[in-house]
Amino acid sequence: MTLSTAFTELFGIRHPVALAPMGGPAGGALAAAVSEAGGLGLVGGGRGDLGWLDRELAIVRAGTTRSWGVGFLTWAAQPSVVEHALSFGPTAVMLSFGDPAALARLVRRAGVALILQVTDLAEARQALDLGADVIVAQGTAAGGHGGSPGLSTLTFVPVLADLAAPVPVLAAGGIADGRGLAAALVLGAAGALIGTRFLATPEALVDPAAVKAIIEGSGEQTERSTVLDIARGVPWPRRYPARALRHPFVSRWQGREDTLAADADARTAYADGIEAGDWPATPVWASEAIDLITDLRPAADLVTDLVEQAERALRPAPRR
Ligand SMILES: Cc1cc2nc3c(=O)[nH]c(=O)nc-3n(C[C@H](O)[C@H](O)[C@H](O)COP(=O)(O)O)c2cc1C
């Protein structure tokens, strides 16, 4: 049994699995490993740091002969940075969070596949108008940033699959094993885009302490908030909170975000907490699905496990 879908056919790949372009952790080695294993590896270009991109895009280009791509945060990435990334020859560019119109035109003009991640139906309709080749339906279980109020993955994916057809939809948010991948396909998605599970791989560029916290943590200990971005002074649009492991600063400021934004002393206290080792320099962004993440696995093994488990889950059972 092979899990062939409109998504695998579009990119000429074996498995309906995409690595989420996690800004920072999803470097060239991780993306290349996922692509070589038969999925679609997406480098996490984030806000578009040129030095980081030059290094990691060179690594992915040298590390795989298969399809790969790169993702950017739409609200932050400059057109010149996306153009620079295009010069490395990606098969796809993914854009998330913000109005993608200008960057999307640039990607389409280059003849490169356009993947747009959406968090609600208005964003989905715009993605279709812009001619997205693939739409990622991100539900609220997702690790890292997502839409507010947002919809759960289970409800958002089938609605979007109906709306977007024949454009393939990938499900994202809370998928960390093959049962989640199987469920995504049953819901009408053409595959899954997976983030947090790939943090627990040797190839991810991530603090080992964060990986340990994810492996030991529970989804019940994650929370969505804008507090940490305000405290860090990162100008994320407020409609995109982020899911992270519980953090003392969030407990202190949740519900008083405007006060925090106006309180320079409080933001200094956040920086002091990092300096004192009270909390990590980067929050531990993590999915609601982390109870399913119990070990560090090479990315290629993870792709194989995901697909084999999904195939088993999709086999007709004589009796349930
Ligand atoms: C550590 C981390 C960083 C992320 N950074 C980005 C990013 O830079 N760009 C982006 O499009 N999505 C980013 N995401 C969100 C993913 O694209 C995706 O929606 C999410 O990981 C899916 O949910 P999951 O973590 O439950 O698999 C990030 C997610 C995590 C966990």
Side-chain angles (χ1 to χ4, degrees):
M1 184 173 177
T2 55
L3 301 176
S4 167
T5 69
F7 170 70
T8 60
E9 278 161 25
L10 180 66
F11 292 110
I13 59 179
R14 267 180 299 147
H15 304 311
V17 173
L19 163 70
M22 297 176 285
L30 179 54
V34 171
S35 288
E36 281 295 288
L40 182 68
L42 296 169
V43 173
R47 285 185 271 168
D49 179 295
L50 270 184
W52 188 93
L53 273 173
D54 275 343
R55 187 181 69 232
E56 300 302 328
L57 294 180
I59 292 172
V60 68
R61 195 172 52 182
T64 183
T65 52
R66 302 169 194 256
S67 296
W68 62 272
V70 55
F72 291 99
L73 298 174
T74 309
W75 63 269
Q78 294 300 314
S80 59
V81 170
V82 176
E83 261 163 8
H84 185 67
L86 285 166
S87 72
F88 283 80
T91 314
V93 170
M94 174 164 153
L95 304 171
S96 309
F97 312 129
D99 181 351
L103 297 180
R105 271 193 289 276
L106 213 154
V107 174
R108 284 181 58 78
R109 255 206 317 271
V112 168
L114 174 66
I115 306 177
L116 295 178
Q117 177 158 241
V118 304
T119 64
D120 62 26
L121 288 173
E123 287 182 352
R125 290 193 187 97
Q126 188 192 20
L128 289 168
D129 288 346
L130 291 170
D133 297 289
V134 176
I135 298 182
V136 180
Q138 192 213 43
T140 51
H145 292 82
S148 172
L151 290 163
S152 73
T153 310
L154 187 73
T155 46
F156 193 29
V157 171
V159 171
L160 196 45
D162 288 347
L163 179 78
V167 175
V169 166
L170 299 182
I175 298 171
D177 70 10
R179 292 169 298 179
L181 171 57
L185 297 172
V186 171
L187 291 174
L193 178 119
I194 299 175
T196 306
R197 175 60 268 209
F198 281 107
L199 293 175
T201 59
E203 293 92 344
L205 302 175
V206 60
D207 177 2
V211 177
K212 185 167 180 285
I214 285 170
I215 288 175
E216 291 173 358
S218 167
E220 291 176 354
Q221 297 157 353
T222 66
E223 56 194 354
R224 295 180 98 208
S225 162
T226 57
V227 165
L228 296 173
D229 286 324
I230 298 169
R232 297 185 307 149
V234 182
W236 266 91
R238 291 271 190 103
R239 62 167 304 244
Y240 299 112
R243 184 178 291 282
L245 280 180
R246 195 167 293 148
H247 194 293
F249 219 75
V250 175
S251 321
R252 207 173 301 161
W253 287 99
Q254 187 101 301
R256 296 191 296 137
E257 287 78 0
D258 289 337
T259 314
L260 173 61
D263 186 338
D265 288 345
R267 282 179 279 116
T268 306
Y270 180 81
D272 290 345
I274 294 173
E275 187 89 357
D278 295 341
W279 41 75
T282 306
V284 183
W285 312 121
S287 170
E288 208 174 76
I290 54 173
D291 299 83
L292 298 170
I293 304 174
T294 55
D295 59 358
L296 190 76
R297 305 268 295 144
D301 293 358
L302 204 53
V303 172
T304 306
D305 290 354
L306 280 160
V307 172
E308 285 179 0
Q309 196 187 16
E311 285 174 351
R312 274 198 306 278
L314 291 167
R315 242 174 243 144
R319 209 180 102 172
R320 289 193 188 269

